[in-house]
C-alpha cells in the first residue's frame, strides 16, 4: 500500500520531535533545572548553532532519516538546481471577465459590493466605543 507524502512526513516529524526531546534530556545529564533552562532558551528566533550539541546531532540525524524514508517510500527528493532540471514556466494570469462570477451579472466577481462599512470595534473607524 502506497502512503502519501504527508503521512510519511508526519511519521518523520513525530520521530524527530521525540528524538529531539530525548537529546535535550541527554544534554541536561538528568538534571531537571538544566533541562528547564535548555527548554526555556529555545524560542522562535533560536538558530541551529544556539541549540545544545546533542540536539544538533539529533536534528541532523532526523533530516537524513527523513530523506531516506521518503526515498524508500518511492518519492523523489532532489534539488532542481543541482539536478539540472528546468522549472516549469509560471502559468499566465487570466484577468476576470466583468459581469461574471459568483455575484452574477452586474456585480463584482467577489460577490460583494465594493463599499466598506465602518466597523466601530476597530481602531481608526471614526467611532468611539461606548463609555462605561
Amino acid at each position: 500500500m502506497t502512503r502519501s507524502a504527508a503521512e510519511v512526513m508526519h511519521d518523520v516529524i513525530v520521530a524527530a520531535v521525540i528524538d529531539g526531546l530525548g537529546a535535550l534530556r541527554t544534554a541536561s545529564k538528568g538534571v531537571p533545572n538544566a533541562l528547564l533552562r535548555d527548554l526555556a532558551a529555545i524560542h522562535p528566533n533560536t538558530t541551529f548553532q544556539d541549540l545544545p550539541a546533542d540536539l544538533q546531532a539529533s536534528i541532523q540525524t532526523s533530516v537524513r532519516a527523513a530523506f531516506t524514508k521518503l526515498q524508500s517510500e518511492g518519492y523523489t527528493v532532489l534539488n532542481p538546481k543541482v539536478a539540472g532540471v528546468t522549472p516549469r514556466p509560471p502559468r499566465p494570469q487570466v484577468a476576470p471577465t466583468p459581469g461574471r462570477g459568483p455575484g452574477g451579472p452586474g456585480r463584482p466577481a467577489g460577490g460583494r459590493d465594493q463599499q466598506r462599512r465602518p466597523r466601530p470595534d476597530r481602531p481608526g473607524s471614526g467611532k468611539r466605543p461606548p463609555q462605561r
Side-chain angles (χ1 to χ4, degrees):
M1 180 168 136
T2 305
R3 295 174 45 190
S4 70
E7 291 171 337
V8 174
M9 286 308 299
H10 179 268
D11 291 346
V12 166
I13 290 171
V14 168
V17 168
I18 291 172
D19 291 345
L21 291 172
L24 278 172
R25 289 179 67 192
T26 303
S28 69
K29 297 174 182 55
V31 179
N33 289 343
L35 177 61
L36 288 174
R37 183 194 67 231
D38 289 343
L39 283 173
I42 299 172
H43 52 82
N45 293 330
T46 302
T47 63
F48 184 74
Q49 289 76 21
D50 294 337
L51 299 173
D54 291 336
L55 184 56
Q56 289 180 13
S58 173
I59 291 171
Q60 288 174 340
T61 304
S62 296
V63 168
R64 281 190 219 106
F67 283 108
T68 303
K69 182 135 181 139
L70 281 170
Q71 288 174 339
S72 70
E73 292 285 333
Y75 292 97
T76 303
V77 182
L78 61 95
N79 183 348
K81 293 178 184 176
V82 174
V85 178
T86 56
R88 292 183 186 173
R91 294 178 126 184
Q93 299 228 348
V94 179
T97 307
R100 293 188 182 181
R107 295 192 73 188
R112 291 186 184 171
D113 294 331
Q114 295 294 332
Q115 296 177 350
R116 299 186 85 170
R117 289 179 267 153
R119 304 259 326 247
D121 58 335
R122 292 197 177 175
S125 64
K127 294 184 179 179
R128 291 188 179 178
Q131 297 291 330
R132 292 184 184 189

